[in-house]
Amino acid sequence: MSSLIGGMFTRGDQIKMAALDMRLERQNVLNGNIANAETPGYRALGYDFEEQLQALAGGDEESMPMKAADPRHFRSDLVEADGTLQAEVYVRPTESVGQDGNTVDVDKEMGDMAQNQILYKATVELINKKLATLKYAIANGGQV
């Protein structure tokens, strides 16, 4: 999206920002799973967005999702009518079900949470580098 704020932010920046939103949502799902680890009958939830993000990253500028004023204008499995990614929250299939019907594996949830946090922090670092570059250009733009 070269049109974002005068072309300062690229399509890659938009993808990074969308990834941050999705990682935050995944963190909330993982937190909910851990919080309900002792709840009888609770089914662990999953949250997938990588396919949608790859579709956004893999397309060229013309294949970027378009925003629509009315949800009836466009139909896509990956993108909402307003151009945001449509992530998938689902009941995670599992082979082990506890005697109380709970399917949360705390070790797996903690591992997924750690991975999600590392990727979130890495994405924040990339965005911070972009902002630092912009800040440098603004502060020193007239100097040779």
Side-chain angles (χ1 to χ4, degrees):
M1 289 279 169
S2 60
S3 63
L4 288 174
I5 309 178
M8 289 191 294
F9 293 101
T10 64
R11 187 170 141 204
D13 298 329
Q14 180 193 21
I15 292 170
K16 290 172 198 151
M17 291 179 217
L20 282 181
D21 291 340
M22 298 295 158
R23 295 222 173 274
L24 179 62
E25 288 299 321
R26 175 177 280 166
Q27 193 73 15
N28 290 335
V29 169
L30 293 170
N31 287 340
N33 287 343
I34 292 172
N36 289 293
E38 300 294 326
T39 303
Y42 181 79
R43 311 295 272 180
L45 299 177
Y47 186 82
D48 285 340
F49 66 91
E50 284 83 2
E51 181 182 341
Q52 292 86 349
L53 203 58
Q54 285 178 352
L56 184 65
D60 55 11
E61 194 70 30
E62 285 78 33
S63 67
M64 288 290 293
M66 298 189 323
K67 292 185 179 181
D70 189 314
R72 295 174 292 176
H73 290 169
F74 303 106
R75 298 285 305 174
S76 172
D77 293 337
L78 303 177
V79 180
E80 299 282 350
D82 65 354
T84 58
L85 293 178
Q86 181 178 358
E88 181 182 1
V89 178
Y90 58 95
V91 175
R92 188 181 309 148
T94 182
E95 295 177 3
S96 64
V97 179
Q99 290 181 346
D100 60 355
N102 189 307
T103 62
V104 175
D105 180 354
V106 175
D107 292 335
K108 180 179 180 354
E109 301 298 329
M110 295 300 284
D112 289 349
M113 184 179 286
Q115 180 186 26
N116 194 52
Q117 288 173 345
I118 289 168
L119 293 172
Y120 184 91
K121 287 179 182 177
T123 306
V124 167
E125 288 295 320
L126 290 173
I127 292 173
N128 282 341
K129 284 185 179 184
K130 171 76 176 207
L131 294 176
T133 302
L134 290 173
K135 183 177 176 184
Y136 178 80
I138 291 169
N140 301 315
Q143 299 176 1
V144 180

